[in-house]
Amino acid sequence: MTLPLPFKGWFESKGWQIREHQLALLEAFSQRQSALLVAPTGAGKTLAGFLPALIDLWDQDQQGSPFSGLHTLYLSPLKALTHDIERNLEQPVRDLRLPVQVETRTGDTPSHKRQRQKRKPPHVLLTTPESLMLMLSYVEAPGLFGKLRWIIVDEAHSLVNTKRGDFTALALARLRYLAPQARTVGLSATTAQPERLAAWLEDEGRPAQVIRAATGAAPVVQILRTGNQIPYSGFMARYAIAEIYGRLLAARSTLVFVNTRAQAEWLFQMLWEHNREGLAIAVYHGSLSREQRRMTESLVADGKVRAVVTTSALELGIDWGDVDQVIQVGAPKGVSRLLQRLGRSNHRLDEASQAWLVPTNRFEALECTVALEAIAERELDDRAEEPGAYDIIPQFIINCACSEAVTEAALFEQVRSAWPYRNLTWPRFQTLFAFARDGGYALSHYERFQRLECLAQDTYRVTSRRVAQRHRQNIGTIVEAARLKVKRLSKGKRGKVVGEVEEGFAQQLTRGDTFLFAGEVLAFEGIRDLFLEARPVPYGEAKIPSYAGGQMPLSTFLAERVRGLLAKPARHRSLPVEVQEWLQLQQEVSLLPDPDHLLVEHFPWRDQAMTLIYTFEGRRVNQTLGFLLTRRMESLGLQPLSFSVTDYALSIAARCTTFERHLPSLLAPEDIAEDLEDWLEESPMLKRSFRRVAMVSGLTEKQIGGQRKTLKQVTFSTDLIYDVLREHEPDHVLLAATRQDAERELLDWQRLCDYLRNVQNRWSYRRLEKPSPLSVPVLVDVRVEAVRGAGMDAMLEALSREDEAESLMANLRAGVTEA
């Protein structure tokens, strides 16, 4: 396929020249070859993805046989991205007067438009994985997708090796079954292993062709230096607010990224308090209402906002126009994630992205430093490959049976054609199909779980329209904590919904309590009809909404680089002076961790025996290791009292002071599953995982008839079923799915096993008389990322912890000086 003259003229009118990777994708389309395009931000990869479709539709029209029906399907991980792409496609379609109709289809699409799209689909449809799966459940799906030619999966790297990615892979497998002639192109700016991503996109047993674009200008990234010392612990960067605000003043537009929604609200408030120049600053995250988010998007597009404090909600490919710089507050936790965020600045290939990193504590200073080194060396991190999640398969089976009659064998082939499920066995699939059909042995006597009926010759359909309706209302894998809509009341008006908070947070409030939300202080009035009602009040002491799932795991890649940095004092010169002094003191008092050995320190602390284990493997690994070690310590009579974790270390408080001689048995990689088995059975963790699995698999619903169930309702029903299955059918497939979910989503089980094998019999043990410098941030840190309690009280508590850290360090310096 060559570039037709009208398209060539359009490129020239824009002052553009078609790039090699764009031509390569045209060739892949003409050869009916699926492809993966790896291109940096600003390289025109989105245009490259759509160009073959636009040219093909134009060419068929020129030949007098215009295409009728759905030609191209665009899949985005974000609803906002579909609307952004729709705006961007309007220009070439309008300029070239193309006979192409482009529309979006998301949860925000009006019902009348959805009905019309089923009868008369546009040529190009922009949607999300969840909306796609919903459309695949329609009786009209075979006709709707039957003529499909081109499937574009944007930001493909963000989906692979995630539960939502497994869900998307099954949707793609169904599309290939309905439209075997369709080919797929994946678009990605940051992937460490393109070949693995290409395999995920494979069709007809062939991996997608990998097309690599030329690299763009290297980003210019610096750690923001301030006149204040970086704190030992904490995660809010209050010490750097003046300098962050100064960077906002120096630029026309800035995106300020943080890692959690609660951090976004708090940082926005701190910036607003410092906003002496009256800059237009906004806050943007997924818990705000659609109207709030759309308003912010519009203001930014019109150049009316100087800065936006945001989360991962904006890190994917939305084009926010001329963003001058990005500021990342807090360690990025992964190089690929950081580069994705940096790409929001200077959205052009030949111009360097401008960015600043602001570590919120001294361990994060190490993390930011090695992230900068990795960017300079053009090295990326990636997620470990995981098998497909079991609980999505029953949802997929019911989805297909809503559309048409299905057979067990045909569905097995479709599931196995999805890359994450390529190794799924027939016996395992049979148990999943049996659950989808009638709930399995223990549940088959209940009419509620009779979802499939057998027709002639082993063919199945859903038992009723009610089953199909319930299924369609609960499609997806995103299982969030139950939420209440926040209604902002104003004098003489009914109130306006500005977003959502978690039900658990709302239950902590009493009338008059204040909290920060949507960038202002609201006073709680009450809960009415699943709405949290609140009134705006003048600034005062406020609580911060707490959001589940906000913590990001530290990547294995960054963890290894941090250990490498610590082990080489010559490299410490690139660190801030106060961090250099901290590490130098650690070297004098104890040891610096290194990549080849696990550092374990033991010392008295507040009438307890404290053990610090520096893994640098992330919070989830350290939490699982804490469960494992305390379990083993109990069996050895070592009397553990408690443990706490950070991304960098695990601290265990115990009564017994004899620890060193037990290290080989405590840290042995063998029998991890057996040692954790009893703990898992007793802990509420498996019940929480079962709740998620139950909602994804269709065992219970998140909402019925448009009404969302409360967390209490869901928990009551799933806990009851969990206990029934454990007692009467312990080998039920959903219990296996629950264990898989816990190991994958909560425990980081495989990563822990790999780590313990790597450090087996290779540790450095230090018995100390007092805490070491490296232990100070761990001892004064808080265990949970979400902030609860009065805002000013929490801030004072953070400051008191920092005072305690300074006192500990002063004693250590004095001790070293005397020695």
Side-chain angles (χ1 to χ4, degrees):
M1 180 183 284
T2 58
L3 193 66
L5 285 176
F7 286 82
K8 186 177 181 181
W10 182 75
F11 269 83
E12 291 173 350
S13 71
K14 298 291 182 184
W16 299 342
Q17 186 174 5
I18 191 164
R19 301 181 189 275
E20 288 298 321
H21 59 271
Q22 294 171 328
L23 289 171
L25 211 47
L26 289 177
E27 182 63 21
F29 179 85
S30 67
Q31 296 297 321
R32 299 189 66 251
Q33 169 72 49
S34 291
L36 167 65
L37 174 58
V38 181
T41 300
K45 63 178 177 293
T46 305
L47 178 59
F50 281 101
L51 201 55
L54 297 179
I55 292 174
D56 190 49
L57 288 165
W58 173 85
D59 186 55
Q60 292 191 51
D61 186 70
Q62 291 294 300
Q63 294 178 22
S65 54
F67 188 91
S68 175
L70 182 59
H71 179 284
T72 296
L73 183 77
Y74 167 87
L75 268 182
S76 161
L78 294 177
K79 285 192 293 186
L81 191 49
T82 63
H83 297 289
D84 185 61
I85 296 298
E86 184 181 30
R87 287 194 300 269
N88 291 341
L89 278 179
E90 286 175 357
Q91 189 174 43
V93 170
R94 184 178 59 250
D95 293 350
L96 289 163
R97 298 181 181 179
L98 299 177
V100 177
Q101 186 180 13
V102 180
E103 292 183 359
T104 61
R105 170 66 162 83
T106 69
D108 298 336
T109 304
S111 59
H112 67 87
K113 188 174 181 180
R114 298 184 198 182
Q115 294 302 318
R116 196 260 302 148
Q117 286 174 343
K118 282 197 288 187
R119 297 190 307 272
K120 188 180 178 183
H123 300 107
V124 179
L125 186 64
L126 317 174
T127 190
T128 61
E130 290 74 25
S131 290
L132 169 60
M133 193 69 88
L134 177 59
M135 288 187 287
L136 287 169
S137 76
Y138 295 150
V139 174
E140 298 88 348
L144 178 62
F145 296 106
K147 297 167 69 176
L148 190 65
R149 295 285 306 278
W150 196 231
I151 304 166
I152 303 170
V153 183
D154 206 353
E155 309 289 357
H157 60 278
S158 70
L159 294 169
V160 176
N161 299 322
T162 68
K163 206 163 185 177
R164 194 175 183 218
D166 299 341
F167 176 88
T168 305
L170 287 173
L172 291 174
R174 183 65 176 173
L175 278 179
R176 294 180 187 121
Y177 168 78
L178 296 176
Q181 75 283 351
R183 291 296 174 262
T184 307
V185 57
L187 307 178
S188 176
T190 55
T191 178
Q193 300 185 43
E195 288 72 23
R196 195 165 79 185
L197 184 51
W200 188 84
L201 292 163
E202 75 172 19
D203 61 71
E204 295 184 345
R206 296 179 303 168
Q209 173 191 352
V210 178
I211 299 171
R212 291 179 172 86
T215 56
V220 178
V221 194
Q222 304 173 61
I223 293 178
L224 187 64
R225 305 294 186 181
T226 76
N228 300 317
Q229 290 201 349
I230 299 173
Y232 291 98
S233 65
F235 54 90
M236 288 315 305
R238 192 175 186 86
Y239 79 99
I241 287 297
E243 286 76 11
I244 294 172
Y245 185 74
R247 292 307 313 165
L248 303 189
L249 286 172
R252 291 171 302 171
S253 59
T254 305
L255 288 181
V256 183
F257 281 103
V258 293
N259 292 338
T260 71
R261 297 169 187 175
Q263 282 177 295
E265 291 285 352
W266 202 342
L267 182 61
F268 172 82
Q269 192 64 37
M270 287 191 291
L271 285 172
W272 198 252
E273 292 170 21
H274 208 83
N275 192 9
R276 300 182 184 88
E277 303 295 324
L279 299 183
I281 304 173
V283 63
Y284 187 104
H285 56 72
S287 288
L288 299 178
S289 68
R290 183 174 74 245
E291 291 75 20
Q292 288 278 112
R293 286 181 274 126
R294 292 285 179 274
M295 182 175 67
T296 301
E297 292 165 12
S298 176
L299 290 172
V300 171
D302 294 341
K304 296 179 180 178
V305 172
R306 289 281 292 274
V308 180
V309 180
T310 186
T311 61
S312 57
L314 288 185
E315 74 181 25
L316 295 178
I318 299 173
D319 187 356
W320 281 66
D322 295 325
V323 175
D324 291 340
Q325 64 181 355
V326 164
I327 299 176
Q328 166 69 41
V329 176
K333 304 302 173 189
V335 179
S336 297
R337 180 183 295 115
L338 177 59
L339 280 174
Q340 189 78 47
R341 293 179 172 187
L342 301 190
R344 302 305 98 211
S345 162
N346 287 338
H347 223 140
R348 291 172 290 278
L349 183 64
D350 55 348
E351 292 189 21
S353 297
Q354 304 290 324
W356 302 86
L357 303 186
V358 186
T360 62
N361 59 61
R362 298 195 182 187
F363 274 119
E364 285 196 346
L366 305 177
E367 217 180 306
C368 290
T369 299
V370 297
L372 292 184
E373 293 172 353
I375 289 172
E377 297 165 14
R378 296 186 182 275
E379 291 190 21
L380 300 175
D381 44 22
D382 206 0
R383 296 187 184 98
E385 191 169 1
E386 300 272 6
Y390 293 150
D391 52 337
I392 304 172
I393 294 177
Q395 185 182 140
F396 178 72
I397 291 169
I398 300 297
N399 204 75
C400 296
C402 286
S403 174
E404 61 180 6
V406 298
T407 67
E408 194 171 357
L411 284 183
F412 177 60
E413 290 306 315
Q414 288 179 49
V415 170
R416 289 254 302 183
S417 71
W419 179 258
Y421 297 97
R422 65 195 181 279
N423 296 320
L424 182 71
T425 65
W426 172 245
R428 175 60 76 192
F429 180 79
Q430 285 181 302
T431 60
L432 290 162
F433 190 91
F435 165 71
R437 183 185 62 230
D438 58 22
Y441 167 75
L443 303 175
S444 60
H445 302 292
Y446 298 91
E447 182 182 355
R448 157 73 181 80
F449 301 112
Q450 305 294 321
R451 294 189 287 175
L452 296 179
E453 61 180 350
C454 184
L455 307 176
Q457 299 177 341
D458 193 34
T459 303
Y460 294 85
R461 285 293 303 262
V462 290
T463 54
S464 65
R465 290 180 61 185
R466 183 168 175 267
V467 169
Q469 183 183 33
R470 278 182 4 212
H471 165 78
R472 288 171 179 142
Q473 289 176 340
N474 293 278
I475 285 174
T477 64
I478 303 173
V479 180
E480 298 178 308
R483 294 185 176 190
L484 297 175
K485 293 187 181 297
V486 178
K487 182 180 287 187
R488 181 186 186 275
L489 304 177
S490 54
K491 202 168 185 178
K493 297 182 180 179
R494 296 176 58 187
K496 176 183 177 183
V497 173
V498 292
E500 298 175 322
V501 294
E502 290 176 1
E503 184 179 40
F505 171 77
Q507 289 172 347
Q508 300 174 26
L509 300 174
T510 57
R511 185 179 174 87
D513 280 352
T514 58
F515 60 100
L516 290 174
F517 193 76
E520 63 180 342
V521 180
L522 301 177
F524 176 68
E525 291 286 320
I527 296 174
R528 183 177 303 169
D529 299 328
L530 295 182
F531 286 90
L532 186 156
E533 297 184 342
R535 298 183 183 278
V537 296
Y539 174 73
E541 298 182 7
K543 291 188 176 183
I544 310 292
S546 57
Y547 303 92
Q551 296 171 352
M552 296 178 174
L554 177 66
S555 73
T556 302
F557 175 77
L558 269 190
E560 291 172 352
R561 293 189 75 109
V562 169
R563 286 193 291 264
L565 171 64
L566 284 169
K568 296 180 179 178
R571 294 174 57 192
H572 296 176
R573 288 192 292 270
S574 62
L575 297 168
V577 174
E578 64 270 28
V579 179
Q580 292 183 47
E581 184 263 345
W582 174 55
L583 297 181
Q584 175 63 35
L585 198 57
Q586 170 69 21
Q587 201 170 11
E588 295 174 13
V589 170
S590 177
L591 281 177
L592 287 171
D594 69 70
D596 300 321
H597 296 84
L598 172 64
L599 175 61
V600 180
E601 294 177 339
H602 191 82
F603 49 81
W605 171 250
R606 292 177 175 170
D607 299 322
Q608 298 170 356
M610 185 67 69
T611 302
L612 265 289
I613 302 169
Y614 299 94
T615 68
F616 293 90
E617 283 295 324
R619 199 174 291 261
R620 289 196 307 196
V621 166
N622 288 335
Q623 176 176 277
T624 307
L625 182 59
F627 293 137
L628 174 68
L629 293 187
T630 51
R631 197 77 187 183
R632 289 177 172 179
M633 289 172 71
E634 286 174 356
S635 67
L636 293 170
L638 298 181
Q639 299 176 291
L641 298 172
S642 63
F643 73 88
S644 60
V645 300
T646 68
D647 270 324
Y648 316 104
L650 160 70
S651 63
I652 301 177
R655 294 190 185 281
C656 185
T657 59
T658 58
F659 194 87
E660 181 178 9
R661 64 188 177 91
H662 297 290
L663 275 177
S665 56
L666 290 173
L667 294 172
E670 295 83 22
D671 302 325
I672 290 180
E674 290 80 357
D675 288 343
L676 281 174
E677 187 72 30
D678 292 341
W679 172 81
L680 276 172
E681 295 298 334
E682 295 170 6
S683 79
M685 183 175 290
L686 280 185
K687 282 194 173 182
R688 288 200 298 271
S689 285
F690 184 78
R691 185 166 68 234
R692 287 196 301 272
V693 165
M695 287 190 278
V696 170
S697 65
L699 181 69
T700 190
E701 293 92 0
K702 291 172 282 189
Q703 53 185 23
I704 298 178
Q707 291 293 318
R708 180 176 285 271
K709 286 185 177 180
T710 66
L711 179 61
K712 186 176 181 180
Q713 290 172 321
V714 172
T715 301
F716 178 79
S717 61
T718 56
D719 283 0
L720 183 63
I721 296 172
Y722 177 77
D723 292 335
V724 168
L725 292 181
R726 279 191 60 196
E727 182 176 354
H728 298 288
E729 196 176 356
D731 60 346
H732 193 282
V733 69
L734 282 200
L735 296 181
T738 298
R739 178 60 60 87
Q740 182 196 49
D741 179 86
E743 292 178 5
R744 176 175 174 169
E745 304 295 329
L746 297 175
L747 297 174
D748 238 339
W749 193 294
Q750 190 57 52
R751 184 171 170 183
L752 173 62
C753 293
D754 293 342
Y755 178 72
L756 289 182
R757 277 192 289 267
N758 289 338
V759 300
Q760 188 172 18
N761 297 321
R762 291 191 291 117
W763 49 75
S764 301
Y765 181 85
R766 286 293 180 272
R767 179 179 284 274
L768 307 172
E769 295 181 359
K770 60 180 69 175
S772 70
L774 216 58
S775 73
V776 169
V778 182
L779 295 175
V780 301
D781 202 357
V782 290
R783 182 182 304 184
V784 292
E785 192 82 352
V787 179
R788 290 176 170 84
M792 291 303 295
D793 289 346
M795 188 70 76
L796 290 171
E797 182 185 343
L799 292 173
S800 69
R801 289 197 303 271
E802 190 60 21
D803 289 342
E804 183 179 16
E806 288 288 0
S807 176
L808 283 169
M809 289 299 296
N811 290 335
L812 283 168
R813 292 189 196 97
V816 169
T817 301
E818 290 173 7

